[in-house]
């Protein structure tokens, strides 16, 4: 049987990796749906009604599956990490409870109006429902990230003894919940969600545009997909550079507040200055290829790059090595490569955004088949970037569950047996794989079905728009 500590960590990692897909889709779609709803109400262009109705379907499916998979995560705090829950409950439980009472209830209450009430309520109330659903989605992120950011940079507490057990007591709610990490995490995560959805929209739209203009298969409502592609490009041009610029500043914040994590991100074992930013690094000993904590590395990098990132512009700055810390190092290889995948994808998104914008500006957006193929291939890469980013965040914090306060091994439920942990790990793997498969099938079916039809003069207007688009 797997050790209960390892099995619990793997189970929480698995469920989180699957779950995060659905909040990314719902949070990323929220601002799009608010815009589509506003344009649908204010404009007579039928394409915005189609955009709202089509992407609302995917939003609703993401919300439902995200709710199911997210509730399980909160139960895992009790089943697998009871010691952590007992120790931090006074501080950690508040944000989670507020997320349910405030954000989830706001979103769930107005979602029914937004999905089913377009013909039953006034334009003003329907617009309110769109904003409320989007606001609820983003407020959920606020409280979840408040809790997680406190685990990264804990503030506003003291450890006291109650009934013979040490627990965390909340002494300064503002310091705890407005901790130094929260604004960095919130901006980076929310922008990443919008960027990921923009990539997904662009990839799906590019497929239909490519199919229509290059394969010679007439696509019904091609104007819908061309509009989708253009809106996605506009959002990519804004969010992709912002993510890179913000990520650069975020890296300096990590270097200041979690130097051990930053050292793992750069695979720095000995304290030194003028540290290169390694693009690739591999162990010099073949026997260490499977050792995530291998120290002897051969790498190719940019001289002084890591020091420049840590200091904000000084390539000679000193970085504290992992050997200087009293606790064991996190799995460096996992953190190191996850960080590089995330950064590499970020720069690719910037290139892709401006490539698409340039082709649009030149009037060649329909003709560039290589661009279409690149957008299609990149449609899910935004979600991949989010996944590896969270791997850097969580694995890089190890061996701590609360930075400098509680080790992950000490937070696992004390009575949990290896057999129980292994059994639930296998069960959750099957269930979550099934949910992800079902979600993928439903979303793919929605996409294959295309945009919904509209009636009366609206459809005639749409046909005219499509014909005009085909003549351009």
């Amino acid at each position: 049987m797997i050790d209960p500590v390892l099995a619990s960590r793997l189970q929480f990692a698995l469920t989180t990796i699957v779950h995060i897909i659905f909040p990314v889709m719902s949070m990323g779609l929220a601002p799009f749906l608010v815009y589509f709803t506003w344009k649908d109400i204010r404009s007579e262009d039928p394409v915005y009604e189609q955009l709202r109705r089509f992407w609302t379907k995917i939003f609703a499916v993401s919300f439902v599956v995200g709710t199911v998979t997210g509730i399980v995560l909160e139960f895992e705090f009790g089943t697998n990490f009871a010691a952590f829950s007992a120790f931090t409950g006074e501080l950690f439980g508040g944000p989670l409870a507020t997320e349910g009472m405030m954000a989830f209830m706001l979103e769930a209450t107005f979602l029914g109006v937004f999905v089913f009430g377009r013909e039953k309520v006034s334009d003003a109330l329907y617009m309110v429902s769109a904003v409320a659903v989007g606001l609820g989605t983003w407020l959920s992120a606020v409280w979840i990230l408040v809790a997680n950011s406190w685990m990264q940079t804990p503030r506003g507490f003291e450890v006291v003894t109650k009934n013979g057990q040490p627990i965390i007591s909340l002494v300064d709610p503002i310091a705890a919940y407005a901790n130094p990490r929260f604004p960095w995490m919130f901006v980076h995560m929310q922008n990443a969600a919008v960027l990921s959805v923009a990539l997904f929209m662009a990839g799906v739209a590019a497929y239909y545009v490519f199919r229509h203009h290059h394969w010679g298969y007439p696509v019904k409502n091609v104007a819908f997909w061309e509009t989708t592609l253009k809106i996605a490009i506009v959002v990519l041009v804004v969010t992709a550079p912002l993510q890179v610029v913000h990520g650069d500043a975020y890296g300096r914040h990590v270097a200041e507040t979690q130097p051990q994590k930053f050292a793992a991100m750069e695979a720095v074992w000995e304290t030194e200055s003028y540290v290169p930013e390694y693009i690739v690094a591999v162990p010099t000993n073949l026997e260490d290829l499977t050792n995530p904590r291998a120290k002897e590395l051969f790498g190719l990098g940019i001289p002084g790059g890591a020091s420049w990132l840590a200091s904000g512009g000084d390539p000679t700055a000193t970085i504290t090595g992992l050997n200087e810390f009293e606790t064991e190092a996190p799995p460096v290889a996992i953190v190191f490569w996850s960080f590089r995948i995330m950064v590499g994808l970020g720069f690719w998104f910037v290139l892709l955004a401006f490539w698409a914008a340039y082709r649009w500006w030149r009037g060649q957006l329909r003709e560039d088949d290589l661009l279409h193929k690149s957008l299609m291939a990149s449609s899910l890469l935004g979600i991949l970037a989010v996944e590896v980013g969270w791997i850097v965040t969580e694995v890089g914090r190890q061996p701590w569950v609360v930075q400098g306060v509680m080790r992950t091994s000490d937070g696992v439920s004390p009575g949990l047996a290896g057999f129980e942990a292994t059994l639930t790990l296998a069960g959750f793997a099957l269930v979550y794989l099934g949910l992800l498969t079902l979600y993928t099938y439903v979303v793919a079916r929605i996409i294959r079905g295309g945009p919904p039809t509209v009636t009366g003069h609206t459809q005639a207007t749409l046909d005219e728009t499509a014909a005009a688009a085909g003549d351009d």
Side-chain angles (χ1 to χ4, degrees), residues 21-253:
I21 296 170
F22 315 119
V24 165
M25 292 297 293
S26 58
M27 292 187 303
L29 277 170
F32 285 99
L33 291 178
V34 171
Y35 174 72
F36 295 155
T37 302
W38 179 72
K39 291 291 288 185
D40 177 29
I41 293 173
R42 296 293 300 272
S43 171
E44 295 183 358
D45 190 341
V47 73
Y48 290 105
E49 178 186 346
Q50 290 189 304
L51 284 166
R52 173 184 57 78
R53 291 170 59 188
F54 178 82
W55 292 105
T56 295
K57 294 178 184 179
I58 296 178
F59 177 91
V61 173
S62 302
F63 173 80
V64 170
V65 182
T67 300
V68 172
T69 56
I71 290 175
V72 173
L73 293 176
E74 297 195 7
F75 279 104
E76 285 181 290
F77 288 124
T79 58
N80 293 76
F81 293 94
F84 165 77
S85 299
F87 181 65
T88 65
E90 180 177 324
L91 191 148
F92 196 76
L96 299 185
T98 305
E99 186 268 338
M101 293 185 294
M102 176 194 292
F104 177 78
M105 293 305 297
L106 175 66
E107 185 179 8
T109 299
F110 281 94
L111 184 62
V113 177
F114 183 65
V115 175
F116 303 109
R118 181 66 185 97
E119 307 301 326
K120 299 178 176 64
V121 300
S122 66
D123 288 350
L125 181 55
Y126 192 74
M127 189 69 228
V128 169
S129 72
V131 174
V133 168
L135 179 63
T137 304
W138 279 46
L139 281 176
S140 288
V142 167
W143 293 109
I144 296 300
L145 292 178
V146 161
N148 187 275
S149 62
W150 178 83
M151 296 165 66
Q152 310 288 335
T153 54
R155 302 286 192 277
F157 73 97
E158 63 180 10
V159 178
V160 300
T161 300
K162 186 175 182 179
N163 297 326
Q165 297 293 327
I167 64 169
I168 281 181
S169 177
L170 177 62
V171 296
D172 187 345
I174 295 179
Y177 298 145
N179 63 79
R181 180 58 53 84
F182 169 70
W184 293 100
M185 294 188 78
F186 181 75
V187 173
H188 209 63
M189 180 62 206
Q190 299 311 100
N191 190 70
V194 177
L195 171 59
S196 299
V197 168
L199 284 165
F200 181 73
M201 294 173 70
V204 173
Y207 166 75
Y208 285 103
V209 173
F210 179 82
R211 182 178 176 182
H212 183 83
H213 292 289
H214 295 280
W215 284 353
Y217 294 104
V219 174
K220 185 180 180 181
N221 293 323
V222 67
F224 169 88
W225 296 113
E226 291 181 350
T227 302
T228 300
L229 179 57
K230 291 175 180 178
I231 292 173
I233 290 171
V234 171
V235 175
L236 285 173
V237 168
V238 176
T239 57
L242 175 59
Q243 195 72 355
V244 171
V245 173
H246 184 266
D248 173 67
Y250 191 178
R252 289 194 291 277
H253 171 72

Side-chain angles (χ1 to χ4, degrees), residues 235-377:
V235 175
L236 285 173
V237 168
V238 176
T239 57
L242 175 59
Q243 195 72 355
V244 171
V245 173
H246 184 266
D248 173 67
Y250 191 178
R252 289 194 291 277
H253 171 72
V254 171
E256 295 170 358
T257 56
Q258 292 179 297
Q260 187 176 24
K261 176 188 289 188
F262 188 84
M265 289 160 54
E266 301 296 345
V268 178
W269 288 94
E270 303 294 339
T271 299
E272 54 185 315
S273 58
Y274 201 65
V275 180
E277 179 68 36
Y278 288 113
I279 300 173
V280 295
V282 294
T284 56
N285 189 341
L286 293 179
E287 296 178 356
D288 286 336
L289 285 176
T290 58
N291 178 14
R293 292 182 172 85
K295 295 184 179 182
E296 300 299 327
L297 304 174
F298 171 78
L300 298 175
I302 303 170
S307 294
W308 184 89
L309 176 62
S311 63
D314 181 7
T316 65
T318 300
I319 297 178
T320 304
L322 291 165
N323 289 335
E324 300 294 327
F325 298 94
E326 295 181 359
T327 57
E328 67 271 22
V332 175
I334 297 175
V335 180
F336 178 89
W337 284 111
S338 296
F339 180 65
R340 269 137 194 83
I341 293 172
M342 178 185 67
V343 171
L345 288 174
F347 281 106
W348 166 244
F349 299 155
V350 173
L351 174 62
L352 194 62
F354 284 97
W355 177 12
Y358 175 75
R359 287 301 190 186
W360 183 10
W361 176 66
R362 296 281 296 178
Q364 301 169 334
L365 188 58
R366 298 171 183 169
E367 290 75 21
D368 194 337
D369 59 337
L370 181 59
L371 172 63
H372 297 156
K373 293 176 183 177
S374 298
L375 288 170
M376 285 186 275

